[in-house]
């Protein structure tokens, strides 16, 4: 079993829909990252969380440390949100990230 | 700020050839990383450097060597390339300071070994 599991693996939505991507992990962590990878291949860090909730624009990320679970929400989705979203956890030592395999999101106009 | 830069962007090698992937960051970060990304798999850590002068193996270090030349630069060397090393390689750095974005990635190097 992978240390970081994401669901769903693939997601198709209509423009304007509310989207949720889930991440579960099985190890102790010091932080959790949400990353975005566009079709061109570049990877951008969206959020770093160690507790609670963070919001930036239409993106919201939450984490429940006790349940070892995080969610990434996109409100009012847009075709430009189409990308692969990757969850990664930073171990308790703080040095290294372990990555999920990503959720491929396609938002149709 | 250029962030994290990598060269080259694309490379084709024949089996047995060697090459070095270059990475540099201008954010004064202590930690730097090399990852590979293969279809259907998450990013996997090859090597990392927690600070200048130190390097450690990650999950998939076999066939690679690294050098942390100074705080800015962290290079990855393939001594004798194999087809199994065909992948996309990403360099990253980590600053450890608070803020919305903390892990910074280079644009990637697409390597094909024939």
């Amino acid at each position: 079993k992978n240390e970081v599991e994401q669901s769903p693996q693939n997601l198709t939505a209509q423009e304007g829909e509310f989207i949720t991507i889930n991440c579960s992990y099985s190890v102790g962590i010091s932080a959790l990252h949400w990353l975005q990878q566009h079709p061109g291949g570049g990877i951008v860090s969206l959020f770093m969380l160690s507790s609670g909730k963070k919001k930036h624009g239409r993106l919201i990320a939450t984490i429940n440390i006790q349940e070892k679970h995080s969610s990434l929400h996109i409100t009012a989705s847009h075709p430009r949100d189409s990308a692969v979203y990757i969850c990664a956890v930073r171990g308790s030592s703080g040095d290294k990230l372990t990555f999920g395999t990503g959720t491929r999101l396609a938002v149709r106009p | 700020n250029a962030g994290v830069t990598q060269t080259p962007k694309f490379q084709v090698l024949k089996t047995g050839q060697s090459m070095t992937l270059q990475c540099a960051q201008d954010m004064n970060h202590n930690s730097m990383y090399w990852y590979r990304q293969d279809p259907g798999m998450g990013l996997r850590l090859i090597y990392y450097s927690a600070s200048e002068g130190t390097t450690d193996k990650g999950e998939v270090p076999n066939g690679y060597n690294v050098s942390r030349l100074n705080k800015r630069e962290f290079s990855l060397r393939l001594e004798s390339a194999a087809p199994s090393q065909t992948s996309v390689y990403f360099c990253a750095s980590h600053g450890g300071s608070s803020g919305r974005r903390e892990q910074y990635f280079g644009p990637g190097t697409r390597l094909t070994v024939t």
Side-chain angles (χ1 to χ4, degrees):
Chain A
K1 189 177 188 296
N2 291 337
E3 290 181 351
V4 182
E5 299 273 358
Q6 285 185 240
S7 64
Q9 288 188 326
N10 295 283
L11 181 57
T12 300
Q14 285 299 126
E15 184 173 356
E17 285 185 358
F18 180 85
I19 288 162
T20 297
I21 299 170
N22 295 300
C23 176
S24 297
Y25 55 93
S26 57
V27 296
I29 68 168
S30 60
L32 182 143
H33 295 252
W34 281 102
L35 311 169
Q36 181 191 55
Q37 185 172 27
H38 273 286
I43 300 173
V44 175
S45 179
L46 298 174
F47 293 103
M48 186 197 69
L49 292 162
S50 53
S51 64
K53 176 179 172 178
K54 286 191 176 179
K55 183 176 190 291
H56 184 79
R58 295 180 295 106
L59 301 177
I60 303 165
T62 64
I63 188 168
N64 185 318
I65 297 293
Q66 286 73 29
E67 294 187 5
K68 291 187 166 61
H69 181 268
S70 176
S71 293
L72 176 68
H73 305 286
I74 305 175
T75 62
S77 59
H78 189 277
R80 65 175 174 266
D81 297 325
S82 299
V84 176
Y85 291 84
I86 303 169
C87 172
V89 299
R90 186 172 299 282
S92 300
S93 66
D95 283 342
K96 296 180 282 188
L97 289 179
T98 302
F99 296 83
T101 53
T103 295
R104 186 174 299 275
L105 171 65
V107 181
R108 294 183 177 159
Chain B
N1 265 359
V4 181
T5 56
Q6 280 182 245
T7 55
K9 287 204 166 96
F10 300 94
Q11 183 72 49
V12 179
L13 292 178
K14 289 185 167 36
T15 297
Q17 287 185 318
S18 62
M19 77 162 295
T20 299
L21 282 65
Q22 307 286 354
C23 174
Q25 52 90 10
D26 61 1
M27 296 171 282
N28 204 36
H29 288 168
N30 285 321
S31 299
M32 297 184 73
Y33 308 83
W34 276 105
Y35 300 99
R36 61 178 287 173
Q37 186 178 41
D38 301 294
M41 305 186 76
L43 286 150
R44 292 183 293 168
L45 181 65
I46 305 170
Y47 270 93
Y48 71 103
S49 170
S51 61
E52 184 180 351
T54 68
T55 61
D56 285 287
K57 293 179 182 179
E59 186 184 349
V60 287
N62 290 345
Y64 305 95
N65 284 302
V66 290
S67 179
R68 183 76 183 265
L69 303 167
N70 47 54
K71 194 169 187 181
R72 289 188 66 248
E73 297 171 291
F74 187 39
S75 61
L76 177 73
R77 182 158 179 85
L78 286 70
E79 290 291 351
S80 178
S84 61
Q85 293 177 305
T86 293
S87 188
V88 181
Y89 292 84
F90 288 95
C91 177
S93 71
H94 172 224
S97 58
S98 62
R100 188 177 73 86
R101 297 181 181 187
E102 195 179 78
Q103 187 87 1
Y104 294 86
F105 288 81
T109 296
R110 191 172 295 273
L111 174 67
T112 302
V113 183
T114 61

